[in-house]
Amino acid sequence: MSHSTQTPTLHIWPPKWGLPSIEPSCLAAALYLQLALPGRFSIQECTNPDMSPSGQLPYLTHGHHTVASIASIVKYVACLTPTSIPPAISEANGLEPTFSADVDVLLDPLERAQRTAWIAHIESALGDLVAHAFYFLRANYAGVTYPTLSSFYNFPQSYYVPHRICQSYKARLEANGLWAIPAAGEESEGKKPKRFGERVTEKEDPKQTFKSAFQRERVSLEKARAAFGLYVRLLGDKDFFFYDRPTTLDLMLAAHILLLVEAPLPDTLLSSLLSSSYPSLISHARRVLTAAKPTVSVLPPVRYNLSALLPYPSLRAWWNEPRLPKSEEEKRFDRMRWRWMGLALAGSVAYWFIWGPEIRLMVEDDDDDDDDDLAFIIEEDDEDMDVDVGEDDGEDEDGDGDEGRKRE
């Protein structure tokens, strides 16, 4: 596989709350590239997932290559060589180059298989918990998620794009039973706001309150305890899962834990559980962030624009392609092309006026029957072609319509 010597660019959701991104996969991808390609890549904020080949962020662009999904990005970056990317700043200054694009280079085949299995479990179990906390719990969505996403967009996208993103998680959470459970502070059907903001005060049913709290405890916290406890036992008293350096498994777990504890969520169900019962996971996540927090330059954000409405990636690429100054030969070619098009158009118009047929429109009135006849007369080369359209069809059937018709 041939690679371009251009700088790889990682497109991710914008940063927030002191983290490189607001989405677990984007955050893990940024941490991975910092460990794999320190000083050799750039980050570009992106708020339009439709620009990705998979329709989801993150994705990586490197020359003519575009790679989507965190798994594909890890696989692509691991195959890079020092000659396929520009040198780091320290190498440009003459320091000894150090390069290892594969973060998991020390893992043996068995450890790599275990890493792959645990990552799949993290994306499923912890990914559901993060989506549940950010998009289902009403207090969190209204107080943090929706305002954060809205701040990334201009009018009118700021009104409907956050809801579209929220709905994209609904099917996933429903399948795992994390969408239909009642959240703390949710209102029942009988307590919905009435007209003019008036609220009908009703006495809360203790049984219903206890039932909602029990369901929330059983479903949400039960799943969280099972997932967190598993990785606490797997981590043990070690700093990282394998050896003394972070691997892809550490990055994926840290990305999910950091979002739960660093985001200022009003509903602290999961963050309180982590702080009280699983502090080792928080320490591990912050240790990984310290070792792999990106320090590269961040390019201007890519937001929704008119080019996003173009249906095909090739058209969008042409629209966004920078216009370089044209050479004299290219300018001469453009002038000759426009002249040829002008001559072709002028020749067509001249032919029509000089040798084209003559069209005359004649309307004949019949005073006796008060009927009008419309005649199109096309003359060409001394031959006349007459086409009459009469309105007295009924009279023609009886033989009387011929009196009001004139022919040349």
Side-chain angles (χ1 to χ4, degrees), residues 38 83 170 198 228 230 249 276 298 331 356 378 389:
T83 58
K170 183 177 181 180
E198 296 179 356
F228 296 154
L230 178 63
L249 177 59
S276 59
V298 179
K331 292 180 180 179
I378 303 177
V389 180

Side-chain angles (χ1 to χ4, degrees), residues 368-402:
D368 298 336
D369 299 333
D370 294 333
D371 293 332
D372 295 338
D373 290 343
L374 181 64
F376 293 95
I377 303 176
I378 303 177
E379 298 180 355
E380 182 176 8
D381 297 337
D382 300 334
E383 294 183 1
D384 296 346
M385 300 175 60
D386 298 353
V387 180
D388 295 346
V389 180
E391 296 182 358
D392 50 351
D393 295 338
E395 297 179 358
D396 293 344
E397 295 178 358
D398 299 334
D400 299 332
D402 294 334

Side-chain angles (χ1 to χ4, degrees), residues 226-385:
F228 296 154
L230 178 63
Y231 291 101
V232 166
R233 294 190 298 270
L234 185 63
L235 182 62
D237 57 353
K238 299 178 294 184
D239 290 340
F240 305 105
F241 287 104
F242 300 102
Y243 308 107
D244 58 348
R245 56 180 294 181
T247 60
T248 310
L249 177 59
D250 296 277
L251 303 179
M252 290 298 298
L253 178 63
H256 291 79
I257 299 298
L258 287 171
L259 286 173
L260 292 175
V261 298
E262 298 296 338
L265 301 176
D267 192 328
T268 60
L269 174 68
L270 297 179
S271 59
S272 299
L273 177 64
L274 283 168
S275 301
S276 59
S277 302
Y278 309 99
S280 60
L281 293 182
I282 300 179
S283 301
H284 169 266
R286 290 174 176 166
R287 191 181 305 117
V288 171
L289 180 63
T290 302
K293 189 172 183 179
T295 57
V296 297
S297 60
V298 179
L299 301 179
V302 176
R303 302 182 184 273
Y304 275 88
N305 47 43
L306 293 178
S307 64
L309 301 178
L310 297 177
Y312 301 106
S314 59
L315 294 179
R316 291 198 294 268
W318 173 83
W319 181 285
N320 295 323
E321 182 180 359
R323 300 297 186 263
L324 300 177
K326 295 183 179 181
S327 61
E328 291 299 328
E329 184 176 354
E330 291 175 337
K331 292 180 180 179
R332 178 178 174 276
F333 178 80
D334 290 341
R335 289 195 297 267
M336 295 298 295
R337 180 176 58 182
W338 285 109
R339 290 174 183 174
W340 183 89
M341 294 175 62
L343 289 175
L345 179 61
S348 300
V349 174
Y351 175 81
W352 179 267
F353 279 102
I354 298 176
W355 291 286
E358 180 183 355
I359 301 177
R360 291 184 298 165
L361 177 64
M362 183 176 61
V363 179
E364 299 180 353
D365 297 332
D366 192 345
D367 296 336
D368 298 336
D369 299 333
D370 294 333
D371 293 332
D372 295 338
D373 290 343
L374 181 64
F376 293 95
I377 303 176
I378 303 177
E379 298 180 355
E380 182 176 8
D381 297 337
D382 300 334
E383 294 183 1
D384 296 346
M385 300 175 60

Side-chain angles (χ1 to χ4, degrees), residues 53 65 79 88 101 136 176 184 186 196 209 233 254 265 308 347 374 382 387:
H65 301 274
C79 296
F136 172 74
N176 293 277
E186 286 193 352
F196 306 106
T209 303
R233 294 190 298 270
L265 301 176
L374 181 64
D382 300 334
V387 180

